[in-house]
Amino acid sequence: MNLVIEYNCDQIDWKELTHVVETAGLTPHTPEMFQKAFENSFAVVFLRDGQRLIGCARALSDAVVQSALYDVALLPEYQGQGLGRTLLEEMLRQLPDGNTILYASPGKETFYERFGFGRLKTGMGKFLDPERVRQKGMLE
């Protein structure tokens, strides 16, 4: 494997990114929506195996106290090789010390707990497609 880490959106094929996110089981959006979301983010990380995009993550932040991670995705065939750790470490390195929240896909919570994330007791969410989120087990 020839691992390449990128920290900007300059070379991203948004259709390829959409494929990565959807294949990883996260909420699908159009390539145009992902482009706008990633380009408007505080920080981004992309992982490539050579030229192939294999993972991504983005964060919103006030650059002082609060941050939120979104679209943390890695192609399934690359999971279990330490690349998810690399992706998350590179993203967290760009964020200010402070509070950081994220949505974890059901079954992936223990991965994030290794980085100090804890399960929220009072988290709330308002979603565009609440039934889809409920079916994924993320909403009561």
Side-chain angles (χ1 to χ4, degrees), residues 19-56:
H19 170 75
V20 169
V21 172
E22 289 181 6
T23 302
L26 285 99
T27 302
H29 295 294
T30 65
E32 295 78 16
M33 290 174 74
F34 277 124
Q35 180 176 5
K36 189 169 188 175
F38 274 81
E39 288 178 346
N40 287 326
S41 294
F42 177 82
V44 297
V45 175
F46 302 99
L47 294 184
R48 292 186 184 277
D49 181 359
Q51 295 296 314
R52 182 183 186 204
L53 184 66
I54 62 169
C56 61

mmCIF file of all heavy atoms in Angstrom, residues 19-56:
data_model
loop_
_atom_site.group_PDB
_atom_site.id
_atom_site.type_symbol
_atom_site.label_atom_id
_atom_site.label_comp_id
_atom_site.label_asym_id
_atom_site.label_seq_id
_atom_site.Cartn_x
_atom_site.Cartn_y
_atom_site.Cartn_z
ATOM 1 N N HIS A 19 -18.840 7.729 -3.260
ATOM 2 C CA HIS A 19 -18.749 6.265 -3.238
ATOM 3 C C HIS A 19 -18.128 5.783 -1.920
ATOM 4 O O HIS A 19 -18.625 4.827 -1.312
ATOM 5 C CB HIS A 19 -17.926 5.765 -4.427
ATOM 6 C CG HIS A 19 -17.588 4.315 -4.341
ATOM 7 N ND1 HIS A 19 -18.510 3.315 -4.576
ATOM 8 C CD2 HIS A 19 -16.433 3.694 -4.002
ATOM 9 C CE1 HIS A 19 -17.923 2.150 -4.399
ATOM 10 N NE2 HIS A 19 -16.668 2.342 -4.046
ATOM 11 N N VAL A 20 -17.063 6.415 -1.464
ATOM 12 C CA VAL A 20 -16.404 6.020 -0.211
ATOM 13 C C VAL A 20 -17.375 6.139 0.959
ATOM 14 O O VAL A 20 -17.530 5.211 1.756
ATOM 15 C CB VAL A 20 -15.130 6.857 0.040
ATOM 16 C CG1 VAL A 20 -14.604 6.644 1.452
ATOM 17 C CG2 VAL A 20 -14.059 6.538 -0.992
ATOM 18 N N VAL A 21 -18.043 7.273 1.062
ATOM 19 C CA VAL A 21 -18.954 7.515 2.183
ATOM 20 C C VAL A 21 -20.114 6.514 2.166
ATOM 21 O O VAL A 21 -20.450 5.915 3.188
ATOM 22 C CB VAL A 21 -19.465 8.967 2.168
ATOM 23 C CG1 VAL A 21 -20.554 9.180 3.209
ATOM 24 C CG2 VAL A 21 -18.315 9.939 2.413
ATOM 25 N N GLU A 22 -20.702 6.316 1.001
ATOM 26 C CA GLU A 22 -21.836 5.398 0.908
ATOM 27 C C GLU A 22 -21.407 3.954 1.159
ATOM 28 O O GLU A 22 -22.104 3.209 1.842
ATOM 29 C CB GLU A 22 -22.511 5.534 -0.455
ATOM 30 C CG GLU A 22 -23.259 6.841 -0.596
ATOM 31 C CD GLU A 22 -23.953 6.999 -1.939
ATOM 32 O OE1 GLU A 22 -23.958 6.045 -2.753
ATOM 33 O OE2 GLU A 22 -24.496 8.094 -2.177
ATOM 34 N N THR A 23 -20.255 3.548 0.623
ATOM 35 C CA THR A 23 -19.766 2.184 0.817
ATOM 36 C C THR A 23 -19.455 1.928 2.284
ATOM 37 O O THR A 23 -19.632 0.815 2.783
ATOM 38 C CB THR A 23 -18.522 1.931 -0.062
ATOM 39 O OG1 THR A 23 -18.879 2.160 -1.426
ATOM 40 C CG2 THR A 23 -18.009 0.516 0.083
ATOM 41 N N ALA A 24 -19.018 2.955 2.990
ATOM 42 C CA ALA A 24 -18.732 2.827 4.422
ATOM 43 C C ALA A 24 -20.007 2.813 5.258
ATOM 44 O O ALA A 24 -19.950 2.612 6.472
ATOM 45 C CB ALA A 24 -17.813 3.959 4.871
ATOM 46 N N GLY A 25 -21.165 3.039 4.623
ATOM 47 C CA GLY A 25 -22.439 2.941 5.327
ATOM 48 C C GLY A 25 -22.966 4.220 5.927
ATOM 49 O O GLY A 25 -23.917 4.199 6.700
ATOM 50 N N LEU A 26 -22.366 5.350 5.574
ATOM 51 C CA LEU A 26 -22.844 6.630 6.092
ATOM 52 C C LEU A 26 -23.938 7.193 5.199
ATOM 53 O O LEU A 26 -24.202 6.685 4.112
ATOM 54 C CB LEU A 26 -21.681 7.608 6.223
ATOM 55 C CG LEU A 26 -20.783 7.309 7.413
ATOM 56 C CD1 LEU A 26 -19.565 6.538 6.937
ATOM 57 C CD2 LEU A 26 -20.344 8.585 8.062
ATOM 58 N N THR A 27 -24.551 8.275 5.644
ATOM 59 C CA THR A 27 -25.666 8.890 4.936
ATOM 60 C C THR A 27 -25.247 9.369 3.553
ATOM 61 O O THR A 27 -24.286 10.128 3.419
ATOM 62 C CB THR A 27 -26.214 10.088 5.743
ATOM 63 O OG1 THR A 27 -26.607 9.616 7.031
ATOM 64 C CG2 THR A 27 -27.410 10.713 5.059
ATOM 65 N N PRO A 28 -25.966 8.942 2.530
ATOM 66 C CA PRO A 28 -25.626 9.376 1.175
ATOM 67 C C PRO A 28 -26.112 10.800 0.886
ATOM 68 O O PRO A 28 -27.152 11.215 1.390
ATOM 69 C CB PRO A 28 -26.365 8.368 0.291
ATOM 70 C CG PRO A 28 -27.533 7.922 1.117
ATOM 71 C CD PRO A 28 -27.062 7.976 2.552
ATOM 72 N N HIS A 29 -25.333 11.503 0.118
ATOM 73 C CA HIS A 29 -25.701 12.825 -0.405
ATOM 74 C C HIS A 29 -25.169 12.896 -1.826
ATOM 75 O O HIS A 29 -24.400 12.040 -2.257
ATOM 76 C CB HIS A 29 -25.080 13.946 0.439
ATOM 77 C CG HIS A 29 -25.583 14.003 1.844
ATOM 78 N ND1 HIS A 29 -26.883 14.314 2.174
ATOM 79 C CD2 HIS A 29 -24.963 13.759 3.015
ATOM 80 C CE1 HIS A 29 -27.039 14.269 3.479
ATOM 81 N NE2 HIS A 29 -25.883 13.934 4.021
ATOM 82 N N THR A 30 -25.507 13.936 -2.525
ATOM 83 C CA THR A 30 -24.996 14.095 -3.880
ATOM 84 C C THR A 30 -23.538 14.543 -3.820
ATOM 85 O O THR A 30 -23.102 15.131 -2.809
ATOM 86 C CB THR A 30 -25.789 15.151 -4.661
ATOM 87 O OG1 THR A 30 -25.580 16.437 -4.045
ATOM 88 C CG2 THR A 30 -27.280 14.821 -4.702
ATOM 89 N N PRO A 31 -22.778 14.293 -4.879
ATOM 90 C CA PRO A 31 -21.398 14.790 -4.914
ATOM 91 C C PRO A 31 -21.326 16.309 -4.695
ATOM 92 O O PRO A 31 -20.416 16.789 -4.012
ATOM 93 C CB PRO A 31 -20.920 14.404 -6.314
ATOM 94 C CG PRO A 31 -21.727 13.186 -6.660
ATOM 95 C CD PRO A 31 -23.084 13.446 -6.050
ATOM 96 N N GLU A 32 -22.290 17.033 -5.225
ATOM 97 C CA GLU A 32 -22.298 18.494 -5.056
ATOM 98 C C GLU A 32 -22.483 18.892 -3.595
ATOM 99 O O GLU A 32 -21.860 19.844 -3.119
ATOM 100 C CB GLU A 32 -23.396 19.127 -5.927
ATOM 101 C CG GLU A 32 -23.181 18.960 -7.413
ATOM 102 C CD GLU A 32 -23.557 17.571 -7.963
ATOM 103 O OE1 GLU A 32 -24.274 16.799 -7.269
ATOM 104 O OE2 GLU A 32 -23.112 17.252 -9.078
ATOM 105 N N MET A 33 -23.335 18.160 -2.887
ATOM 106 C CA MET A 33 -23.548 18.451 -1.463
ATOM 107 C C MET A 33 -22.291 18.140 -0.661
ATOM 108 O O MET A 33 -21.893 18.919 0.218
ATOM 109 C CB MET A 33 -24.741 17.667 -0.927
ATOM 110 C CG MET A 33 -26.069 18.153 -1.466
ATOM 111 S SD MET A 33 -27.457 17.108 -0.976
ATOM 112 C CE MET A 33 -27.624 17.557 0.742
ATOM 113 N N PHE A 34 -21.647 16.991 -0.954
ATOM 114 C CA PHE A 34 -20.412 16.661 -0.252
ATOM 115 C C PHE A 34 -19.330 17.699 -0.549
ATOM 116 O O PHE A 34 -18.585 18.095 0.353
ATOM 117 C CB PHE A 34 -19.909 15.261 -0.615
ATOM 118 C CG PHE A 34 -20.571 14.171 0.170
ATOM 119 C CD1 PHE A 34 -21.209 13.127 -0.480
ATOM 120 C CD2 PHE A 34 -20.553 14.164 1.559
ATOM 121 C CE1 PHE A 34 -21.815 12.104 0.233
ATOM 122 C CE2 PHE A 34 -21.148 13.154 2.283
ATOM 123 C CZ PHE A 34 -21.793 12.119 1.623
ATOM 124 N N GLN A 35 -19.221 18.135 -1.773
ATOM 125 C CA GLN A 35 -18.218 19.140 -2.111
ATOM 126 C C GLN A 35 -18.411 20.401 -1.281
ATOM 127 O O GLN A 35 -17.475 20.916 -0.676
ATOM 128 C CB GLN A 35 -18.265 19.483 -3.603
ATOM 129 C CG GLN A 35 -17.238 20.531 -3.983
ATOM 130 C CD GLN A 35 -17.208 20.822 -5.474
ATOM 131 O OE1 GLN A 35 -18.007 20.312 -6.259
ATOM 132 N NE2 GLN A 35 -16.278 21.658 -5.884
ATOM 133 N N LYS A 36 -19.640 20.892 -1.228
ATOM 134 C CA LYS A 36 -19.912 22.105 -0.448
ATOM 135 C C LYS A 36 -19.633 21.871 1.037
ATOM 136 O O LYS A 36 -19.030 22.717 1.706
ATOM 137 C CB LYS A 36 -21.355 22.551 -0.664
ATOM 138 C CG LYS A 36 -21.654 23.902 -0.079
ATOM 139 C CD LYS A 36 -22.995 24.418 -0.540
ATOM 140 C CE LYS A 36 -23.160 25.858 -0.089
ATOM 141 N NZ LYS A 36 -24.383 26.453 -0.605
ATOM 142 N N ALA A 37 -20.047 20.706 1.557
ATOM 143 C CA ALA A 37 -19.851 20.407 2.982
ATOM 144 C C ALA A 37 -18.361 20.346 3.324
ATOM 145 O O ALA A 37 -17.919 20.941 4.323
ATOM 146 C CB ALA A 37 -20.535 19.090 3.337
ATOM 147 N N PHE A 38 -17.572 19.628 2.529
ATOM 148 C CA PHE A 38 -16.142 19.496 2.824
ATOM 149 C C PHE A 38 -15.412 20.826 2.623
ATOM 150 O O PHE A 38 -14.556 21.189 3.428
ATOM 151 C CB PHE A 38 -15.512 18.387 1.977
ATOM 152 C CG PHE A 38 -15.633 17.021 2.595
ATOM 153 C CD1 PHE A 38 -16.808 16.291 2.485
ATOM 154 C CD2 PHE A 38 -14.583 16.470 3.304
ATOM 155 C CE1 PHE A 38 -16.935 15.031 3.061
ATOM 156 C CE2 PHE A 38 -14.689 15.210 3.887
ATOM 157 C CZ PHE A 38 -15.868 14.492 3.765
ATOM 158 N N GLU A 39 -15.746 21.547 1.564
ATOM 159 C CA GLU A 39 -15.062 22.823 1.320
ATOM 160 C C GLU A 39 -15.387 23.868 2.379
ATOM 161 O O GLU A 39 -14.593 24.775 2.615
ATOM 162 C CB GLU A 39 -15.391 23.339 -0.078
ATOM 163 C CG GLU A 39 -14.713 22.514 -1.171
ATOM 164 C CD GLU A 39 -15.041 22.967 -2.583
ATOM 165 O OE1 GLU A 39 -16.003 23.753 -2.779
ATOM 166 O OE2 GLU A 39 -14.335 22.517 -3.510
ATOM 167 N N ASN A 40 -16.546 23.758 3.028
ATOM 168 C CA ASN A 40 -16.930 24.703 4.074
ATOM 169 C C ASN A 40 -16.522 24.247 5.470
ATOM 170 O O ASN A 40 -16.860 24.897 6.451
ATOM 171 C CB ASN A 40 -18.435 24.953 4.037
ATOM 172 C CG ASN A 40 -18.844 25.811 2.865
ATOM 173 O OD1 ASN A 40 -18.109 26.699 2.448
ATOM 174 N ND2 ASN A 40 -20.008 25.546 2.306
ATOM 175 N N SER A 41 -15.804 23.157 5.576
ATOM 176 C CA SER A 41 -15.414 22.621 6.877
ATOM 177 C C SER A 41 -14.167 23.299 7.426
ATOM 178 O O SER A 41 -13.355 23.843 6.678
ATOM 179 C CB SER A 41 -15.172 21.112 6.760
ATOM 180 O OG SER A 41 -16.378 20.454 6.458
ATOM 181 N N PHE A 42 -14.004 23.233 8.725
ATOM 182 C CA PHE A 42 -12.844 23.789 9.414
ATOM 183 C C PHE A 42 -11.583 23.005 9.073
ATOM 184 O O PHE A 42 -10.510 23.567 8.879
ATOM 185 C CB PHE A 42 -13.104 23.756 10.930
ATOM 186 C CG PHE A 42 -11.951 24.226 11.764
ATOM 187 C CD1 PHE A 42 -11.740 25.580 11.960
ATOM 188 C CD2 PHE A 42 -11.097 23.319 12.367
ATOM 189 C CE1 PHE A 42 -10.673 26.026 12.739
ATOM 190 C CE2 PHE A 42 -10.039 23.750 13.146
ATOM 191 C CZ PHE A 42 -9.822 25.109 13.328
ATOM 192 N N ALA A 43 -11.719 21.683 9.028
ATOM 193 C CA ALA A 43 -10.574 20.809 8.731
ATOM 194 C C ALA A 43 -11.066 19.589 7.964
ATOM 195 O O ALA A 43 -12.199 19.133 8.156
ATOM 196 C CB ALA A 43 -9.891 20.370 10.021
ATOM 197 N N VAL A 44 -10.217 19.078 7.093
ATOM 198 C CA VAL A 44 -10.514 17.867 6.330
ATOM 199 C C VAL A 44 -9.281 16.976 6.296
ATOM 200 O O VAL A 44 -8.153 17.455 6.403
ATOM 201 C CB VAL A 44 -10.960 18.178 4.876
ATOM 202 C CG1 VAL A 44 -12.257 18.971 4.854
ATOM 203 C CG2 VAL A 44 -9.867 18.902 4.111
ATOM 204 N N VAL A 45 -9.527 15.677 6.169
ATOM 205 C CA VAL A 45 -8.454 14.699 5.968
ATOM 206 C C VAL A 45 -8.952 13.696 4.942
ATOM 207 O O VAL A 45 -10.102 13.243 5.015
ATOM 208 C CB VAL A 45 -8.079 13.957 7.270
ATOM 209 C CG1 VAL A 45 -7.051 12.869 6.999
ATOM 210 C CG2 VAL A 45 -7.559 14.916 8.319
ATOM 211 N N PHE A 46 -8.084 13.378 3.992
ATOM 212 C CA PHE A 46 -8.386 12.362 2.997
ATOM 213 C C PHE A 46 -7.247 11.355 2.989
ATOM 214 O O PHE A 46 -6.081 11.741 3.061
ATOM 215 C CB PHE A 46 -8.516 12.980 1.600
ATOM 216 C CG PHE A 46 -9.567 14.056 1.526
ATOM 217 C CD1 PHE A 46 -9.215 15.392 1.592
ATOM 218 C CD2 PHE A 46 -10.908 13.726 1.394
ATOM 219 C CE1 PHE A 46 -10.175 16.387 1.528
ATOM 220 C CE2 PHE A 46 -11.883 14.723 1.334
ATOM 221 C CZ PHE A 46 -11.516 16.050 1.398
ATOM 222 N N LEU A 47 -7.582 10.071 2.924
ATOM 223 C CA LEU A 47 -6.582 9.018 2.801
ATOM 224 C C LEU A 47 -6.686 8.415 1.408
ATOM 225 O O LEU A 47 -7.790 8.163 0.914
ATOM 226 C CB LEU A 47 -6.811 7.906 3.827
ATOM 227 C CG LEU A 47 -6.632 8.221 5.299
ATOM 228 C CD1 LEU A 47 -6.804 6.942 6.121
ATOM 229 C CD2 LEU A 47 -5.287 8.846 5.580
ATOM 230 N N ARG A 48 -5.524 8.179 0.821
ATOM 231 C CA ARG A 48 -5.463 7.521 -0.478
ATOM 232 C C ARG A 48 -4.522 6.332 -0.394
ATOM 233 O O ARG A 48 -3.539 6.369 0.340
ATOM 234 C CB ARG A 48 -4.927 8.472 -1.554
ATOM 235 C CG ARG A 48 -5.845 9.607 -1.898
ATOM 236 C CD ARG A 48 -5.274 10.406 -3.089
ATOM 237 N NE ARG A 48 -6.072 11.551 -3.395
ATOM 238 C CZ ARG A 48 -7.174 11.538 -4.144
ATOM 239 N NH1 ARG A 48 -7.566 10.406 -4.694
ATOM 240 N NH2 ARG A 48 -7.852 12.643 -4.371
ATOM 241 N N ASP A 49 -4.817 5.339 -1.179
ATOM 242 C CA ASP A 49 -3.890 4.239 -1.450
ATOM 243 C C ASP A 49 -3.409 4.518 -2.868
ATOM 244 O O ASP A 49 -4.112 4.225 -3.831
ATOM 245 C CB ASP A 49 -4.595 2.892 -1.341
ATOM 246 C CG ASP A 49 -3.651 1.724 -1.587
ATOM 247 O OD1 ASP A 49 -2.453 1.946 -1.856
ATOM 248 O OD2 ASP A 49 -4.124 0.577 -1.515
ATOM 249 N N GLY A 50 -2.250 5.164 -2.967
ATOM 250 C CA GLY A 50 -1.791 5.662 -4.269
ATOM 251 C C GLY A 50 -2.723 6.768 -4.724
ATOM 252 O O GLY A 50 -2.902 7.762 -4.039
ATOM 253 N N GLN A 51 -3.400 6.570 -5.851
ATOM 254 C CA GLN A 51 -4.344 7.560 -6.367
ATOM 255 C C GLN A 51 -5.785 7.303 -5.913
ATOM 256 O O GLN A 51 -6.644 8.165 -6.071
ATOM 257 C CB GLN A 51 -4.296 7.560 -7.905
ATOM 258 C CG GLN A 51 -2.966 8.017 -8.463
ATOM 259 C CD GLN A 51 -2.665 9.461 -8.103
ATOM 260 O OE1 GLN A 51 -3.514 10.343 -8.220
ATOM 261 N NE2 GLN A 51 -1.449 9.718 -7.632
ATOM 262 N N ARG A 52 -6.032 6.121 -5.354
ATOM 263 C CA ARG A 52 -7.396 5.738 -4.975
ATOM 264 C C ARG A 52 -7.786 6.348 -3.635
ATOM 265 O O ARG A 52 -7.109 6.133 -2.622
ATOM 266 C CB ARG A 52 -7.492 4.217 -4.896
ATOM 267 C CG ARG A 52 -8.877 3.730 -4.550
ATOM 268 C CD ARG A 52 -8.921 2.224 -4.407
ATOM 269 N NE ARG A 52 -10.297 1.779 -4.215
ATOM 270 C CZ ARG A 52 -10.618 0.649 -3.633
ATOM 271 N NH1 ARG A 52 -9.671 -0.193 -3.224
ATOM 272 N NH2 ARG A 52 -11.885 0.326 -3.481
ATOM 273 N N LEU A 53 -8.896 7.070 -3.612
ATOM 274 C CA LEU A 53 -9.429 7.615 -2.364
ATOM 275 C C LEU A 53 -10.024 6.466 -1.557
ATOM 276 O O LEU A 53 -10.869 5.718 -2.058
ATOM 277 C CB LEU A 53 -10.499 8.663 -2.656
ATOM 278 C CG LEU A 53 -11.064 9.389 -1.445
ATOM 279 C CD1 LEU A 53 -9.980 10.253 -0.781
ATOM 280 C CD2 LEU A 53 -12.248 10.265 -1.854
ATOM 281 N N ILE A 54 -9.573 6.311 -0.307
ATOM 282 C CA ILE A 54 -10.040 5.196 0.521
ATOM 283 C C ILE A 54 -10.695 5.658 1.820
ATOM 284 O O ILE A 54 -11.365 4.872 2.487
ATOM 285 C CB ILE A 54 -8.902 4.207 0.843
ATOM 286 C CG1 ILE A 54 -7.788 4.880 1.644
ATOM 287 C CG2 ILE A 54 -8.372 3.578 -0.446
ATOM 288 C CD1 ILE A 54 -6.765 3.908 2.225
ATOM 289 N N GLY A 55 -10.502 6.925 2.211
ATOM 290 C CA GLY A 55 -11.085 7.393 3.460
ATOM 291 C C GLY A 55 -11.162 8.897 3.517
ATOM 292 O O GLY A 55 -10.461 9.607 2.780
ATOM 293 N N CYS A 56 -12.020 9.392 4.415
ATOM 294 C CA CYS A 56 -12.180 10.832 4.561
ATOM 295 C C CYS A 56 -12.740 11.148 5.943
ATOM 296 O O CYS A 56 -13.272 10.281 6.630
ATOM 297 C CB CYS A 56 -13.111 11.384 3.486
ATOM 298 S SG CYS A 56 -14.796 10.707 3.546
#
